[in-house]
Structure formats: C-alpha cells, structure tokens
Coordinates of all heavy atoms in Angstrom, one line a residue:
M1 N 10.5 41.9 -53.6 CA 9.3 42.1 -54.4 C 9.5 43.3 -55.3 O 10.1 44.3 -54.9 CB 8.1 42.3 -53.4 CG 6.9 42.4 -54.2 SD 5.5 42.5 -53.0 CE 4.8 44.0 -53.5
S2 N 9.1 43.1 -56.5 CA 9.3 44.2 -57.5 C 8.0 44.9 -57.7 O 6.9 44.3 -57.6 CB 9.7 43.6 -58.9 OG 10.9 43.0 -58.8
S3 N 8.1 46.2 -58.0 CA 6.9 47.0 -58.4 C 7.2 47.6 -59.8 O 8.3 48.0 -60.1 CB 6.7 48.2 -57.4 OG 6.5 47.7 -56.1
V4 N 6.2 47.5 -60.7 CA 6.3 48.0 -62.0 C 5.3 49.2 -62.1 O 4.2 49.1 -61.7 CB 5.9 47.0 -63.1 CG1 5.9 47.6 -64.5 CG2 6.7 45.7 -63.0
V5 N 5.9 50.4 -62.5 CA 5.2 51.6 -62.5 C 5.4 52.3 -63.8 O 6.5 52.5 -64.3 CB 5.6 52.6 -61.3 CG1 4.8 53.8 -61.3 CG2 5.6 51.9 -60.0
A6 N 4.3 52.7 -64.5 CA 4.4 53.4 -65.7 C 4.2 54.9 -65.5 O 3.4 55.3 -64.6 CB 3.3 53.0 -66.7
G7 N 5.0 55.7 -66.2 CA 4.9 57.1 -66.1 C 3.8 57.6 -67.0 O 3.2 56.8 -67.8
G8 N 3.5 58.9 -66.9 CA 2.5 59.5 -67.8 C 3.0 59.5 -69.2 O 4.2 59.5 -69.5
V9 N 2.1 59.6 -70.2 CA 2.4 59.8 -71.6 C 2.7 61.3 -71.8 O 1.9 62.2 -71.4 CB 1.2 59.4 -72.5 CG1 1.6 59.6 -73.9 CG2 0.9 57.9 -72.3
V10 N 3.9 61.6 -72.4 CA 4.3 62.9 -72.7 C 4.3 63.1 -74.2 O 4.9 62.4 -74.9 CB 5.7 63.2 -72.1 CG1 6.1 64.6 -72.5 CG2 5.7 63.0 -70.6
D11 N 3.5 64.1 -74.6 CA 3.4 64.4 -76.0 C 4.5 65.3 -76.4 O 4.7 66.4 -75.8 CB 2.1 65.0 -76.4 CG 0.9 64.1 -76.3 OD1 1.1 62.9 -76.7 OD2 -0.2 64.4 -75.8
T12 N 5.3 64.9 -77.4 CA 6.4 65.7 -77.9 C 6.1 66.1 -79.3 O 5.1 65.7 -79.9 CB 7.8 64.9 -77.9 OG1 7.7 63.9 -79.0 CG2 8.1 64.2 -76.6
Q13 N 6.9 66.9 -79.9 CA 6.7 67.4 -81.3 C 6.7 66.3 -82.3 O 6.0 66.4 -83.3 CB 7.9 68.4 -81.6 CG 7.8 69.0 -83.0 CD 8.9 70.0 -83.3 OE1 9.4 70.6 -82.4 NE2 9.3 70.1 -84.5
Y14 N 7.4 65.2 -81.9 CA 7.4 64.0 -82.9 C 6.6 62.8 -82.5 O 6.5 61.9 -83.2 CB 8.9 63.6 -83.1 CG 9.7 64.7 -83.7 CD1 10.5 65.5 -83.0 CD2 9.7 64.9 -85.1 CE1 11.3 66.5 -83.6 CE2 10.4 65.9 -85.7 CZ 11.2 66.7 -84.9 OH 11.9 67.7 -85.5
G15 N 5.9 62.9 -81.3 CA 5.0 61.8 -80.9 C 5.2 61.6 -79.4 O 6.0 62.2 -78.7
P16 N 4.3 60.7 -78.9 CA 4.3 60.4 -77.5 C 5.5 59.6 -77.0 O 6.0 58.8 -77.7 CB 3.0 59.6 -77.3 CG 2.8 58.9 -78.6 CD 3.4 59.9 -79.7
V17 N 5.8 59.9 -75.7 CA 6.8 59.1 -75.0 C 6.3 58.6 -73.7 O 5.6 59.4 -73.0 CB 8.1 59.9 -74.7 CG1 9.2 59.1 -74.0 CG2 8.7 60.5 -76.0
Q18 N 6.5 57.4 -73.3 CA 6.0 56.8 -72.0 C 7.1 55.8 -71.5 O 7.5 55.0 -72.3 CB 4.6 56.2 -72.1 CG 4.1 55.7 -70.8 CD 2.7 55.1 -70.9 OE1 2.3 54.6 -71.9 NE2 2.0 55.2 -69.8
V19 N 7.4 56.0 -70.3 CA 8.4 55.1 -69.7 C 7.8 54.3 -68.5 O 6.9 54.8 -67.8 CB 9.6 56.0 -69.1 CG1 10.7 55.1 -68.4 CG2 10.2 56.8 -70.2
E20 N 8.3 53.1 -68.4 CA 7.9 52.2 -67.3 C 9.1 51.8 -66.6 O 10.2 51.5 -67.2 CB 7.2 51.0 -67.9 CG 6.8 49.9 -66.9 CD 6.1 48.7 -67.6 OE1 6.9 47.9 -68.1 OE2 4.9 48.7 -67.7
V21 N 9.1 51.8 -65.2 CA 10.2 51.3 -64.5 C 9.8 50.2 -63.6 O 8.7 50.1 -63.1 CB 10.8 52.4 -63.6 CG1 11.5 53.5 -64.4 CG2 9.8 53.0 -62.6
T22 N 10.8 49.3 -63.4 CA 10.6 48.2 -62.4 C 11.5 48.5 -61.2 O 12.7 48.8 -61.4 CB 11.0 46.8 -63.0 OG1 10.2 46.6 -64.1 CG2 10.8 45.7 -62.0
V23 N 11.0 48.5 -60.0 CA 11.7 48.9 -58.8 C 11.7 47.7 -57.9 O 10.7 47.1 -57.7 CB 11.0 50.1 -58.1 CG1 11.7 50.5 -56.9 CG2 10.9 51.3 -59.1
R24 N 12.9 47.5 -57.3 CA 13.1 46.4 -56.4 C 14.1 46.9 -55.3 O 15.2 47.3 -55.6 CB 13.6 45.1 -57.0 CG 13.7 44.0 -56.1 CD 14.2 42.7 -56.7 NE 13.5 42.3 -57.9 CZ 14.1 42.1 -59.1 NH1 15.4 42.1 -59.2 NH2 13.4 41.8 -60.2
G25 N 13.7 46.8 -54.1 CA 14.6 47.2 -53.0 C 15.1 48.6 -53.1 O 16.2 48.9 -52.9
E26 N 14.2 49.5 -53.4 CA 14.5 50.9 -53.5 C 15.5 51.3 -54.7 O 16.1 52.3 -54.7 CB 15.0 51.5 -52.2 CG 13.9 51.5 -51.1 CD 14.3 52.2 -49.9 OE1 15.3 52.9 -49.9 OE2 13.6 52.0 -48.9
R27 N 15.6 50.4 -55.6 CA 16.5 50.6 -56.8 C 15.7 50.4 -58.1 O 14.8 49.5 -58.1 CB 17.7 49.7 -56.8 CG 18.7 50.0 -55.7 CD 20.0 49.4 -55.9 NE 20.6 49.5 -57.2 CZ 21.3 50.5 -57.7 NH1 21.5 51.6 -56.9 NH2 21.8 50.5 -58.9
I28 N 16.0 51.1 -59.1 CA 15.4 50.9 -60.4 C 16.2 49.7 -61.0 O 17.4 49.8 -61.2 CB 15.6 52.2 -61.3 CG1 14.9 53.4 -60.7 CG2 15.0 51.9 -62.7 CD1 15.2 54.7 -61.3
V29 N 15.5 48.6 -61.3 CA 16.2 47.5 -61.8 C 15.9 47.3 -63.3 O 16.6 46.5 -64.0 CB 15.8 46.2 -61.1 CG1 16.3 46.2 -59.6 CG2 14.3 45.9 -61.1
K30 N 14.9 48.1 -63.8 CA 14.6 48.0 -65.3 C 13.9 49.3 -65.7 O 13.1 49.8 -64.9 CB 13.8 46.8 -65.6 CG 13.5 46.7 -67.1 CD 12.6 45.5 -67.4 CE 12.3 45.4 -68.9 NZ 11.4 44.3 -69.2
A31 N 14.3 49.9 -66.8 CA 13.6 51.0 -67.4 C 13.3 50.6 -68.8 O 14.1 50.0 -69.5 CB 14.5 52.2 -67.4
H32 N 12.1 50.8 -69.2 CA 11.6 50.3 -70.5 C 10.7 51.4 -71.0 O 9.9 52.0 -70.4 CB 10.8 49.0 -70.2 CG 10.1 48.5 -71.4 ND1 10.8 48.0 -72.5 CD2 8.8 48.5 -71.8 CE1 9.9 47.6 -73.4 NE2 8.7 47.9 -73.0
T33 N 10.8 51.6 -72.3 CA 10.0 52.7 -73.0 C 8.8 52.0 -73.6 O 8.9 51.1 -74.5 CB 10.9 53.4 -74.1 OG1 12.1 53.8 -73.5 CG2 10.1 54.5 -74.7
L34 N 7.6 52.4 -73.1 CA 6.4 51.8 -73.7 C 6.0 52.4 -75.0 O 5.4 51.8 -75.9 CB 5.3 52.0 -72.6 CG 5.4 51.3 -71.3 CD1 4.3 51.7 -70.3 CD2 5.5 49.8 -71.5
Q35 N 6.3 53.7 -75.1 CA 6.0 54.5 -76.3 C 7.1 55.4 -76.6 O 7.7 56.0 -75.7 CB 4.7 55.3 -76.2 CG 3.4 54.6 -75.9 CD 2.3 55.6 -75.9 OE1 2.0 56.3 -76.8 NE2 1.5 55.6 -74.8
H36 N 7.4 55.6 -77.9 CA 8.4 56.6 -78.3 C 8.0 57.0 -79.7 O 7.3 56.3 -80.4 CB 9.8 56.1 -78.2 CG 10.1 54.9 -79.0 ND1 10.3 55.0 -80.4 CD2 10.2 53.6 -78.6 CE1 10.6 53.7 -80.8 NE2 10.5 52.9 -79.8
P37 N 8.4 58.2 -80.1 CA 8.1 58.6 -81.5 C 8.6 57.6 -82.5 O 9.7 57.1 -82.4 CB 8.8 60.0 -81.6 CG 8.9 60.5 -80.2 CD 9.1 59.2 -79.4
S38 N 7.8 57.4 -83.5 CA 8.1 56.5 -84.6 C 7.3 56.8 -85.8 O 6.4 57.7 -85.8 CB 7.9 55.0 -84.2 OG 6.6 54.8 -83.9
G39 N 7.6 56.1 -86.9 CA 6.7 56.3 -88.1 C 7.5 56.6 -89.4 O 7.1 56.2 -90.4
D40 N 8.6 57.4 -89.3 CA 9.3 57.6 -90.5 C 10.8 57.1 -90.2 O 11.2 56.9 -89.1 CB 9.3 59.1 -90.9 CG 10.0 60.0 -90.0 OD1 11.2 59.8 -89.7 OD2 9.4 61.0 -89.5
G41 N 11.5 56.9 -91.3 CA 12.8 56.3 -91.2 C 13.8 57.0 -90.3 O 14.5 56.4 -89.5
Q42 N 13.8 58.4 -90.4 CA 14.7 59.1 -89.6 C 14.4 59.1 -88.1 O 15.2 58.9 -87.3 CB 14.8 60.6 -90.1 CG 15.8 61.4 -89.3 CD 16.0 62.8 -89.9 OE1 15.2 63.2 -90.7 NE2 17.0 63.5 -89.4
T43 N 13.1 59.2 -87.8 CA 12.7 59.1 -86.4 C 12.9 57.8 -85.8 O 13.4 57.6 -84.7 CB 11.2 59.5 -86.3 OG1 10.9 60.8 -86.8 CG2 10.6 59.4 -84.9
D44 N 12.7 56.7 -86.6 CA 12.9 55.4 -86.1 C 14.4 55.1 -85.9 O 14.8 54.5 -84.9 CB 12.4 54.3 -87.1 CG 10.9 54.3 -87.2 OD1 10.2 54.8 -86.3 OD2 10.4 53.8 -88.2
Q45 N 15.3 55.7 -86.8 CA 16.7 55.5 -86.7 C 17.2 56.3 -85.4 O 18.0 55.7 -84.6 CB 17.4 56.0 -87.9 CG 18.9 55.9 -87.9 CD 19.6 56.4 -89.1 OE1 19.0 57.0 -90.0 NE2 20.9 56.1 -89.2
I46 N 16.8 57.5 -85.2 CA 17.2 58.3 -84.1 C 16.8 57.6 -82.8 O 17.6 57.4 -81.9 CB 16.6 59.7 -84.1 CG1 17.3 60.5 -85.2 CG2 16.7 60.4 -82.8 CD1 16.6 61.8 -85.6
N47 N 15.5 57.2 -82.7 CA 15.1 56.6 -81.4 C 15.6 55.1 -81.3 O 15.7 54.6 -80.2 CB 13.5 56.6 -81.4 CG 13.1 58.0 -81.1 OD1 13.6 58.7 -80.1 ND2 12.2 58.6 -81.9
G48 N 16.0 54.5 -82.4 CA 16.6 53.2 -82.3 C 17.9 53.2 -81.5 O 18.3 52.3 -80.8
Y49 N 18.6 54.4 -81.5 CA 19.9 54.4 -80.7 C 19.6 55.3 -79.4 O 20.3 55.0 -78.4 CB 21.1 55.0 -81.5 CG 21.0 56.5 -81.8 CD1 21.5 57.4 -80.8 CD2 20.6 57.0 -83.0 CE1 21.4 58.8 -81.1 CE2 20.6 58.3 -83.3 CZ 21.0 59.2 -82.3 OH 21.0 60.6 -82.6
A50 N 18.7 56.2 -79.4 CA 18.5 57.1 -78.3 C 17.8 56.3 -77.1 O 18.2 56.5 -76.0 CB 17.6 58.3 -78.7
V51 N 16.7 55.6 -77.4 CA 15.9 55.0 -76.4 C 16.8 54.0 -75.5 O 16.7 54.0 -74.3 CB 14.7 54.3 -76.9 CG1 14.0 53.4 -75.9 CG2 13.7 55.4 -77.4
P52 N 17.6 53.1 -76.1 CA 18.4 52.2 -75.3 C 19.4 53.0 -74.4 O 19.7 52.6 -73.3 CB 19.2 51.4 -76.3 CG 18.3 51.3 -77.5 CD 17.6 52.7 -77.6
Q53 N 19.9 54.1 -75.0 CA 20.8 55.0 -74.2 C 20.1 55.5 -73.0 O 20.6 55.6 -71.8 CB 21.4 56.1 -75.0 CG 22.5 55.6 -76.0 CD 23.1 56.8 -76.7 OE1 23.3 57.9 -76.2 NE2 23.4 56.6 -78.0
L54 N 18.9 56.0 -73.2 CA 18.1 56.6 -72.1 C 17.8 55.6 -71.0 O 17.9 55.8 -69.8 CB 16.8 57.3 -72.6 CG 17.1 58.5 -73.5 CD1 15.8 58.8 -74.3 CD2 17.5 59.7 -72.7
N55 N 17.4 54.4 -71.5 CA 17.1 53.3 -70.5 C 18.4 52.9 -69.7 O 18.3 52.8 -68.5 CB 16.6 52.0 -71.3 CG 15.2 52.2 -71.9 OD1 14.4 53.1 -71.4 ND2 14.9 51.4 -72.9
Q56 N 19.5 52.8 -70.4 CA 20.7 52.5 -69.7 C 21.1 53.6 -68.7 O 21.6 53.3 -67.6 CB 21.9 52.3 -70.7 CG 21.8 50.9 -71.4 CD 22.9 50.8 -72.4 OE1 23.4 51.7 -73.0 NE2 23.3 49.5 -72.6
E57 N 21.0 54.8 -69.1 CA 21.4 55.9 -68.2 C 20.5 56.0 -67.0 O 21.0 56.3 -65.9 CB 21.5 57.2 -68.9 CG 22.1 58.3 -68.0 CD 22.5 59.5 -68.8 OE1 22.3 59.6 -70.0 OE2 22.9 60.5 -68.1
T58 N 19.3 55.7 -67.2 CA 18.3 55.6 -66.0 C 18.8 54.6 -65.0 O 18.8 54.9 -63.8 CB 16.9 55.3 -66.5 OG1 16.5 56.3 -67.4 CG2 15.9 55.2 -65.4
M59 N 19.2 53.5 -65.5 CA 19.7 52.4 -64.6 C 21.0 52.9 -63.9 O 21.2 52.6 -62.7 CB 20.0 51.1 -65.3 CG 18.8 50.6 -66.1 SD 17.6 49.9 -65.0 CE 18.5 48.6 -64.4
A60 N 21.9 53.5 -64.6 CA 23.1 54.0 -64.0 C 23.0 55.1 -63.0 O 23.6 55.1 -61.9 CB 24.1 54.4 -65.1
V61 N 22.1 56.1 -63.3 CA 21.9 57.3 -62.5 C 20.9 57.1 -61.4 O 21.0 57.7 -60.3 CB 21.6 58.5 -63.4 CG1 21.3 59.7 -62.6 CG2 22.6 58.7 -64.4
Q62 N 20.0 56.2 -61.6 CA 18.9 55.9 -60.6 C 18.1 57.1 -60.3 O 17.6 57.3 -59.2 CB 19.5 55.3 -59.3 CG 20.1 53.9 -59.4 CD 19.1 52.9 -59.6 OE1 18.2 52.7 -58.8 NE2 19.2 52.1 -60.7
S63 N 17.8 57.9 -61.3 CA 17.0 59.1 -61.2 C 16.6 59.6 -62.6 O 17.0 59.0 -63.6 CB 17.7 60.2 -60.4 OG 18.6 60.9 -61.2
A64 N 15.8 60.7 -62.6 CA 15.4 61.2 -63.9 C 16.4 62.3 -64.3 O 16.2 63.0 -65.3 CB 14.0 61.8 -63.8
Q65 N 17.5 62.5 -63.6 CA 18.6 63.4 -63.9 C 19.5 62.9 -65.0 O 20.7 62.7 -64.7 CB 19.3 63.9 -62.7 CG 18.4 64.4 -61.6 CD 17.7 65.7 -62.0 OE1 18.3 66.6 -62.6 NE2 16.4 65.7 -61.8
I66 N 19.0 62.6 -66.2 CA 19.8 62.0 -67.2 C 20.1 63.0 -68.3 O 19.3 63.9 -68.5 CB 19.0 60.7 -67.8 CG1 17.6 61.1 -68.3 CG2 19.0 59.6 -66.8 CD1 16.9 60.0 -69.0
D67 N 21.1 62.7 -69.0 CA 21.5 63.6 -70.1 C 20.7 63.4 -71.3 O 20.1 62.4 -71.6 CB 23.0 63.3 -70.5 CG 24.0 63.7 -69.4 OD1 23.7 64.6 -68.6 OD2 25.0 63.0 -69.3
T68 N 20.6 64.5 -72.1 CA 19.9 64.5 -73.4 C 20.8 63.8 -74.4 O 22.0 64.0 -74.5 CB 19.7 65.9 -73.9 OG1 18.8 66.6 -72.9 CG2 19.1 66.0 -75.3
V69 N 20.2 62.9 -75.2 CA 20.9 62.2 -76.2 C 21.0 63.1 -77.4 O 20.0 63.6 -77.9 CB 20.2 60.9 -76.6 CG1 20.9 60.2 -77.8 CG2 20.2 59.9 -75.4
S70 N 22.2 63.3 -77.9 CA 22.4 64.2 -79.1 C 21.6 63.7 -80.3 O 21.6 62.6 -80.6 CB 23.9 64.2 -79.4 OG 24.1 65.0 -80.5
G71 N 20.9 64.7 -80.8 CA 20.0 64.4 -82.0 C 18.6 63.9 -81.6 O 17.8 63.7 -82.5
A72 N 18.4 63.7 -80.3 CA 17.1 63.2 -79.9 C 16.6 64.1 -78.7 O 16.1 63.6 -77.7 CB 17.2 61.7 -79.5
T73 N 16.6 65.4 -78.9 CA 16.3 66.3 -77.8 C 14.9 66.1 -77.3 O 14.6 66.1 -76.1 CB 16.5 67.7 -78.3 OG1 17.9 67.9 -78.6 CG2 16.2 68.7 -77.1
F74 N 13.9 66.1 -78.3 CA 12.5 66.0 -77.9 C 12.2 64.7 -77.2 O 11.5 64.6 -76.2 CB 11.6 66.2 -79.1 CG 11.7 67.6 -79.6 CD1 12.4 67.9 -80.8 CD2 11.0 68.7 -79.0 CE1 12.5 69.2 -81.3 CE2 11.1 70.0 -79.5 CZ 11.8 70.2 -80.6
T75 N 12.7 63.6 -77.7 CA 12.5 62.3 -77.1 C 13.1 62.2 -75.7 O 12.5 61.8 -74.8 CB 13.1 61.1 -78.0 OG1 12.4 61.1 -79.2 CG2 13.0 59.8 -77.3
S76 N 14.3 62.8 -75.6 CA 15.0 62.8 -74.3 C 14.2 63.6 -73.3 O 14.1 63.2 -72.1 CB 16.4 63.4 -74.4 OG 17.2 62.7 -75.3
E77 N 13.7 64.7 -73.7 CA 12.9 65.6 -72.7 C 11.6 64.8 -72.3 O 11.2 64.8 -71.2 CB 12.6 66.9 -73.3 CG 11.9 67.9 -72.4 CD 12.6 68.1 -71.0 OE1 13.8 68.2 -71.0 OE2 11.9 68.2 -70.0
G78 N 10.9 64.3 -73.3 CA 9.7 63.5 -73.0 C 10.0 62.3 -72.1 O 9.2 62.0 -71.2
Y79 N 11.1 61.7 -72.4 CA 11.5 60.5 -71.6 C 11.7 60.9 -70.1 O 11.2 60.3 -69.2 CB 12.8 59.9 -72.1 CG 13.3 58.6 -71.5 CD1 13.0 57.4 -72.1 CD2 13.9 58.6 -70.3 CE1 13.5 56.2 -71.5 CE2 14.4 57.5 -69.7 CZ 14.1 56.3 -70.3 OH 14.5 55.1 -69.7
R80 N 12.5 62.0 -69.9 CA 12.7 62.5 -68.6 C 11.4 62.8 -67.8 O 11.3 62.5 -66.7 CB 13.6 63.8 -68.6 CG 15.1 63.6 -68.5 CD 15.8 64.8 -68.2 NE 15.7 65.8 -69.3 CZ 16.5 65.8 -70.4 NH1 17.4 64.9 -70.5 NH2 16.3 66.7 -71.3
Q81 N 10.5 63.5 -68.5 CA 9.2 63.9 -67.9 C 8.4 62.6 -67.5 O 7.9 62.5 -66.4 CB 8.4 64.8 -68.8 CG 9.0 66.2 -68.9 CD 8.2 67.0 -69.9 OE1 7.0 66.8 -70.1 NE2 8.9 67.9 -70.6
S82 N 8.3 61.7 -68.4 CA 7.6 60.4 -68.1 C 8.3 59.6 -67.0 O 7.6 59.1 -66.1 CB 7.4 59.6 -69.4 OG 6.6 58.5 -69.1
L83 N 9.6 59.6 -67.1 CA 10.4 58.9 -66.1 C 10.1 59.5 -64.7 O 9.9 58.8 -63.7 CB 11.9 58.9 -66.4 CG 12.8 58.3 -65.4 CD1 12.5 56.8 -65.0 CD2 14.2 58.4 -65.9
Q84 N 10.2 60.8 -64.6 CA 10.0 61.5 -63.3 C 8.6 61.2 -62.8 O 8.4 60.9 -61.6 CB 10.1 63.0 -63.5 CG 10.1 63.7 -62.1 CD 11.2 63.3 -61.2 OE1 12.3 63.4 -61.4 NE2 10.8 62.7 -60.0
S85 N 7.6 61.1 -63.7 CA 6.2 60.8 -63.2 C 6.1 59.4 -62.7 O 5.4 59.1 -61.7 CB 5.2 61.1 -64.2 OG 5.2 60.2 -65.3
A86 N 6.9 58.5 -63.3 CA 6.9 57.1 -62.9 C 7.6 57.0 -61.5 O 7.1 56.3 -60.6 CB 7.6 56.2 -63.9
L87 N 8.7 57.7 -61.4 CA 9.4 57.7 -60.1 C 8.6 58.3 -59.0 O 8.5 57.8 -57.8 CB 10.7 58.4 -60.2 CG 11.7 57.7 -61.2 CD1 13.0 58.6 -61.3 CD2 12.0 56.3 -60.8
D88 N 7.8 59.4 -59.3 CA 7.0 60.0 -58.3 C 5.9 59.0 -57.9 O 5.6 58.9 -56.7 CB 6.3 61.3 -58.9 CG 7.3 62.4 -59.1 OD1 8.4 62.4 -58.6 OD2 6.9 63.4 -59.8
A89 N 5.3 58.3 -58.8 CA 4.3 57.3 -58.5 C 4.9 56.2 -57.7 O 4.2 55.7 -56.7 CB 3.7 56.7 -59.8
A90 N 6.1 55.8 -58.0 CA 6.7 54.7 -57.2 C 7.0 55.2 -55.8 O 6.8 54.4 -54.8 CB 8.0 54.3 -57.9
H91 N 7.4 56.4 -55.6 CA 7.6 57.0 -54.2 C 6.3 57.0 -53.5 O 6.2 56.6 -52.3 CB 8.2 58.4 -54.3 CG 9.6 58.4 -54.5 ND1 10.5 58.1 -53.6 CD2 10.4 58.8 -55.6 CE1 11.8 58.3 -54.0 NE2 11.7 58.7 -55.3
K92 N 5.2 57.4 -54.2 CA 3.9 57.5 -53.5 C 3.4 56.2 -53.1 O 2.8 56.0 -52.1 CB 2.9 58.2 -54.5 CG 1.7 58.7 -53.9 CD 0.9 59.4 -55.0 CE 0.1 60.6 -54.4 NZ -0.6 61.3 -55.3
A93 N 3.7 55.1 -53.9 CA 3.3 53.8 -53.6 C 4.2 53.1 -52.5 O 4.0 52.0 -52.1 CB 3.3 52.9 -54.9
G94 N 5.3 53.8 -52.2 CA 6.2 53.2 -51.2 C 7.3 52.3 -51.8 O 7.9 51.6 -51.0
A95 N 7.4 52.2 -53.1 CA 8.3 51.3 -53.7 C 9.7 51.9 -53.7 O 10.7 51.1 -53.9 CB 7.9 51.0 -55.1
L96 N 9.9 53.2 -53.6 CA 11.2 53.8 -53.6 C 11.4 54.6 -52.4 O 10.5 55.2 -51.8 CB 11.3 54.8 -54.8 CG 11.8 54.2 -56.1 CD1 11.8 55.2 -57.2 CD2 13.2 53.6 -56.0

C-alpha cells in the first residue's frame, strides 16, 4: 500500500516550493514537486533542470540529505525543507 504525503510550502526568494512524496514499504517510490518558482524565462529554465535533479536525488538518497543543484540554491533549499516536512509527516503517519 502506498501513502502520498505533501510537505509544507516553503517560501523562497524566488517563489514557493512544495514537495510531495509517495511512500511504499518504507521507501520513497516517487518524489514530485507540487510548486516551484516560475514566471520568468531564467527562473523557468533553471527550475526546468533543477527540479528533475532534486526529484531523482531524493529517490536515490531516500532522505532529505540531497545536494544543492548549482545555480538553483534557493529552490534546492526550499525543496529540502519541504521534503523534510513531508518525510516527517510520513514517519508520523507510520508510512516510513
């Protein structure tokens, strides 16, 4: 059985970040970004490559101890904070 848990919304200098994780059998099986900074071309371009990297690293590391994506420091930090809150909620619910 899978559990889907959303982390809190983290406001960054460039906009909000929110992460959702799907947990099955005490493992993160999917990480998905519900919100990330967007709106101008440069921000969209940066997050277009940063967000998939953050999602992939979450799956590989299975924790919020992920590296900052170069050029996307604020998004990376917001992602880590939201991810940690999602993982904390999953632990509290007994999913992890």
Side-chain angles (χ1 to χ4, degrees):
M1 185 172 123
S2 298
S3 296
V4 178
V5 184
V9 177
V10 177
D11 289 319
T12 73
Q13 181 175 332
Y14 295 99
V17 178
Q18 184 178 26
V19 178
E20 176 182 83
V21 292
T22 303
V23 178
R24 184 181 309 128
E26 298 187 12
R27 291 195 47 83
I28 301 167
V29 295
K30 182 179 179 186
H32 174 71
T33 308
L34 297 174
Q35 296 184 59
H36 59 78
S38 62
D40 67 58
Q42 184 176 8
T43 300
D44 292 342
Q45 182 179 10
I46 289 168
N47 288 307
Y49 75 82
V51 168
Q53 285 183 39
L54 293 165
N55 290 337
Q56 285 181 326
E57 188 164 358
T58 298
M59 303 287 296
V61 176
Q62 292 290 304
S63 78
Q65 303 299 312
I66 56 176
D67 292 332
T68 297
V69 175
S70 180
T73 303
F74 293 103
T75 297
S76 297
E77 184 55 37
Y79 186 101
R80 265 193 300 275
Q81 290 178 29
S82 183
L83 174 59
Q84 186 61 60
S85 72
L87 296 177
D88 290 346
H91 278 289
K92 198 174 212 179
L96 276 175

